[in-house]
Amino acid sequence: MNIDFTFTESHTSSADVAILCVYANNRLSTSAERLDKETNGVISDILARQKKFTGKAGQILSLNAPKDSAYGHFILVGFGDADKLTALCYETAGGSVFPTLKSLSAEKAVLFIDDEATREKVTSGLATAHMVTGIALRSYNFSKYKQQNKDDEECSSNNLSEVIAVTSAKDAVKAAESAFVNLKASAEGTFLARDLMNEPPNFLYPESFAQRIKDEMKPLGVKVEVIDHKKMEKLGMGAALAVGKGSERPPCMVVMHWDGAGKKSENAPLAFVGKGVTFDTGGISIKPAGGMDEMKMDMGGAAAVCGLMKTLASRKAKVNVVAIVGLAENMPSHNAYRPGDVVTSMSGKTIEVLNTDAEGRLVLADALTYIQNTYNPELVIDLATLTGAILVALGMEYSGAFINDNEMWANLEDASKNTGEKLWRMPLDEAYRKQMDGNIADLNNLGNEGRFGGACTAAGFLECFIDKDRKWAHLDIAGTMAWKKDKPTVPKGPVGFGVRVLNKFIADHYEQK
């Protein structure tokens, strides 16, 4: 994160931009009124001369400030009805204002949040922390591999280096600083997930991914263990190994431990599992050529798990967590596994391969078995860009959540609403699981009704590898892993979906206070 965020009660020095809140019907906030008076009514006069900007939520209006002003520009941000504002509204507004800051080449901006933000649901301190978080999230840029024209606007991140957030009172400053510790950590974890998903597949493959995890996690106090393909063979991980057979780069699994509650904690750890197919050609059941470059992001679940672990370690979360990511490259070759093959998973269940492009569930099957057998966790949550069927069902707005425990779903749903990372509960039904029964093996990897209900049958397959009475959630994030166009807090490209919702889920319901 290249922007320096500070919180203060007042600000008197000059800056490139002042960011001001405006509510429904162009009602100015206290700070906007003050600056309007100081500039002889420039703000109110311009608002009166136009009709487009009305203070509606999501609206942005940039104004040139007078020469004698301490600021070069005023950016008015519409919030709509102040009584209906939530913390997420401020976060979204922060993301929406960033493109204007970038277009103005602003280096230093001052954000004013006044007492109007003080409501039962969101205090001014919390509102401030969330708004600067929105700015941070939207400022993300991946230009690592751009060599030419680095000074061009599109090739550089932005000029913004400092945001000073002015709140109304000392206690609001302290509240903002406290809230931002958690929010900044989740943003940085999200950035890691986005970075990993942006990496080209010739640079990020199982071995290099494992090394990247070591480099990122060990300095933060996260213990990292790499299970290489030879140890996978000894453990009987035949399902995951089959996926990586066609590649010259062998598969591996990486286990991460964060013991924030201490080794003496009586609570079993929480477990998170990520699908990490670093490139998915579909194998012998090869995918169409169009858009295949996006299959470098088929490791989005693993990226989210890594981002989550970085977040928890960065903010010193008081909770014990174990995570595993299954890393493999699904390629066609003379060594590749084939439709018709039968593989034996670590659990001992045999699987008839009907389609080599239904590979993620095979990687997850062995990862799920390993983490349950080894750590006996309180709950297991897996994340995977698993099916195209979930896009048909939910589009790109929601991730599908398949969950076997109602309380767990209620907690995840609450975290989803608070972070804006949308989850929609999908059915787990015995009928879907039975569709995964094999003809010549225990299971098949496609489903006996082909593509119909594909997201549900995929979840049914994974359910076969979950211990009885184990709390479990499967999040199919294929639809939300990346945006085709800019969103308020997400530039075009990888989202890093899952980091923030799971961090909130843990913080609210499982972390020691």
Side-chain angles (χ1 to χ4, degrees), residues 278-320:
T278 57
F279 193 78
D280 182 21
T281 66
I284 298 299
S285 307
I286 198 162
K287 294 177 181 289
M292 195 189 283
D293 59 293
E294 294 180 359
M295 289 301 99
K296 71 176 187 177
M297 294 188 287
D298 206 22
M299 35 59 71
V305 168
C306 292
L308 174 65
M309 294 301 285
K310 179 174 182 176
T311 296
L312 296 175
S314 296
R315 66 179 186 81
K316 306 298 182 185
K318 295 180 180 180
V319 62
N320 289 346

Side-chain angles (χ1 to χ4, degrees), residues 364-431:
L364 289 174
D366 285 342
L368 288 166
T369 299
Y370 180 84
I371 207 163
Q372 290 174 98
N373 289 355
T374 309
Y375 301 103
N376 190 27
E378 179 176 349
L379 58 82
V380 177
I381 298 178
D382 74 75
L383 298 92
T385 52
L386 204 63
T387 69
I390 202 66
L391 280 94
V392 176
L394 300 176
M396 297 180 69
E397 287 296 323
Y398 285 85
S399 285
F402 298 83
I403 303 178
N404 66 3
D405 182 83
N406 290 333
E407 181 182 5
M408 189 176 178
W409 163 242
N411 293 340
L412 277 169
E413 185 181 32
D414 181 63
S416 172
K417 291 177 179 178
N418 278 282
T419 60
E421 293 196 326
K422 298 178 182 178
L423 300 175
W424 190 267
R425 193 174 191 181
M426 298 289 286
L428 278 174
D429 194 285
E430 181 69 9

Side-chain angles (χ1 to χ4, degrees), residues 120-138:
E120 184 177 345
K121 292 182 179 179
V122 52
T123 64
S124 57
L126 191 61
T128 304
H130 276 272
M131 192 158 176
V132 298
T133 300
I135 294 173
L137 287 168
R138 186 60 180 80

Side-chain angles (χ1 to χ4, degrees), residues 3 19 57 76 86 98 102 104 108 142 181 213 216 223 225 242 259 280 285 301 347 432 437 442 456 468 472 487:
I3 304 172
I19 305 170
L76 308 185
T86 65
F98 178 79
K102 183 175 180 180
L104 294 173
K108 180 179 180 181
F142 188 84
V181 171
I213 292 172
E216 291 281 351
K223 297 178 183 177
E225 174 192 0
D259 298 322
D280 182 21
S285 307
S347 70
Y432 296 123
D437 290 342
D442 298 323
C456 299
K468 184 180 179 181
W472 166 65
K487 302 284 278 188

Side-chain angles (χ1 to χ4, degrees), residues 154-167:
E154 293 302 319
C155 294
S156 62
S157 174
N158 61 83
N159 294 316
L160 189 63
S161 60
E162 183 179 8
V163 174
I164 300 170
V166 182
T167 56

Side-chain angles (χ1 to χ4, degrees), residues 33-150:
E33 284 185 340
R34 176 178 59 79
L35 285 173
D36 186 45
K37 291 178 181 178
E38 290 178 0
T39 56
N40 298 315
V42 165
I43 296 174
S44 57
D45 182 59
I46 291 178
L47 287 179
R49 291 170 180 267
Q50 57 82 55
K51 295 181 179 179
K52 188 173 181 180
F53 184 92
T54 61
K56 182 179 177 181
Q59 290 184 322
I60 304 290
L61 181 62
S62 175
L63 309 177
N64 291 325
K67 289 183 179 181
D68 57 352
S69 173
Y71 308 100
H73 295 84
F74 299 138
I75 298 179
L76 308 185
V77 184
F79 282 92
D81 189 345
D83 291 322
K84 296 181 179 180
L85 292 175
T86 65
L88 187 57
C89 293
Y90 282 92
E91 198 166 287
T92 300
S96 297
V97 82
F98 178 79
T100 303
L101 289 169
K102 183 175 180 180
S103 70
L104 294 173
S105 298
E107 296 181 9
K108 180 179 180 181
V110 181
L111 164 66
F112 291 93
I113 298 288
D114 300 303
D115 288 331
E116 290 92 342
T118 305
R119 297 287 180 269
E120 184 177 345
K121 292 182 179 179
V122 52
T123 64
S124 57
L126 191 61
T128 304
H130 276 272
M131 192 158 176
V132 298
T133 300
I135 294 173
L137 287 168
R138 186 60 180 80
S139 72
Y140 175 82
N141 178 274
F142 188 84
S143 57
K144 180 178 178 180
Y145 296 99
K146 291 185 177 181
Q147 297 300 326
Q148 297 181 353
N149 303 319
K150 280 196 168 184

